[in-house]
């Protein structure tokens, strides 16, 4: 059986300035009205040859394999989050704008699910040249984060930008015109156990985080049913 993949174009990354609560509600609220959260992102078409015939199937957008380094200098891959729900975001430790707000809100998620083996958090630094392992370790400690449920990731800059924009569907890139020299969205991305995106939320507000917390509970219930 011969298998080939024809990737469909992903959603164009949303600019950080457009990732407001109003936009997120407009795009996603109507999709979350059912019992199950929607799977976000365009599907890919998989073609395979079976008995000499070409068969096409569509598969949901999925976060690809990755490899970054956390605040403990351990390599984090897709295997690290296998069988878990996780929340991803993008930040940098010297961010003078939205990052402090985001970390206050994500700390709420950490505190609610602390000790829950089914939930993790992955915060990707978009300034890896500054955010070394030791810097991230100190940053996590200052937030009161312990253990390996909330991981702060660094690694190759281009790979971090690529997975942000092309997989998590959020803005993550250099921009000398903004404070800090890099621009990123204020989004929290909810990913299920199959690495499908199930929701994107305004991580700079309590309201956006409240919706995330509610949807994490919904997703956990989905897996129990």
């Amino acid at each position: 059986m011969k298998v080939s993949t024809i990737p469909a174009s992903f959603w164009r990354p949303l600019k950080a300035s457009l990732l407001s609560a109003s936009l997120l509600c407009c795009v996603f609220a109507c999709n979350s009205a059912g019992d199950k959260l929607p799977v976000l992102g365009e599907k890919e078409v998989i073609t395979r040859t079976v008995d000499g015939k070409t068969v096409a199937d569509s598969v949901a957008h999925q976060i690809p394999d990755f490899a970054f380094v956390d605040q403990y200098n351990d390599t984090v891959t897709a295997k690290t989050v296998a069988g878990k729900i996780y929340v991803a975001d993008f930040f940098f430790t010297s961010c003078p704008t939205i990052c402090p707000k985001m970390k206050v809100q994500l700390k709420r998620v950490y505190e609610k699910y602390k000790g829950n083996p089914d939930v993790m958090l992955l915060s990707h630094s978009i300034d890896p040249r500054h955010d070394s392992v030791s810097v991230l370790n100190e940053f996590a400690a200052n937030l009161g984060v312990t253990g390996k449920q909330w991981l702060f990731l660094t690694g190759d800059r281009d790979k971090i930008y690529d997975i942000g924009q092309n997989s998590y569907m959020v803005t993550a890139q250099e921009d000398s015109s903004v404070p800090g020299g890099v621009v990123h969205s204020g989004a929290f991305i909810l990913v299920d156990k199959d690495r499908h995106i199930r929701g994107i939320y305004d991580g700079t507000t309590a309201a956006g985080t409240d919706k995330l917390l509610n949807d994490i509970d919904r997703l956990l219930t989905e897996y129990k049913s």
Side-chain angles (χ1 to χ4, degrees), residues 35-84:
D35 292 334
K36 292 186 177 181
L37 295 171
V39 175
L40 305 184
E42 292 188 5
K43 292 185 176 182
E44 295 182 6
V45 177
I46 306 296
T47 62
R48 52 197 178 99
T49 302
V50 180
D51 297 330
K53 297 181 180 180
T54 299
V55 179
D57 297 311
S58 61
V59 297
H61 172 63
Q62 184 180 55
I63 304 301
D65 292 338
F66 54 86
F68 299 114
V69 177
D70 67 18
Q71 71 266 36
Y72 304 109
N73 202 31
D74 293 329
T75 300
V76 176
T77 69
K79 291 183 179 180
T80 307
V81 294
K84 299 178 184 296

Side-chain angles (χ1 to χ4, degrees), residues 198-218:
R198 304 298 292 272
I200 300 177
Y201 311 84
D202 184 351
T204 66
T205 67
T209 306
D210 288 345
K211 187 174 189 313
L212 168 62
L213 292 169
N214 179 71
D215 284 355
I216 292 174
D217 287 342
R218 289 177 62 192

Side-chain angles (χ1 to χ4, degrees), residues 129-175:
R129 286 173 292 193
H130 175 268
D131 291 342
S132 63
V133 169
S134 60
V135 169
L136 292 178
N137 189 283
E138 181 179 2
F139 185 81
N142 288 339
L143 277 176
V145 175
T146 59
K148 295 191 175 183
Q149 191 168 359
W150 186 355
L151 300 179
F152 297 81
L153 307 180
T154 189
D156 181 85
R157 182 196 64 179
D158 291 338
K159 290 181 179 179
I160 292 172
Y161 290 175
D162 179 70
I163 199 171
Q165 300 211 148
N166 294 320
S167 297
Y168 289 107
M169 305 186 295
V170 297
T171 298
Q173 61 189 24
E174 287 189 339
D175 187 339

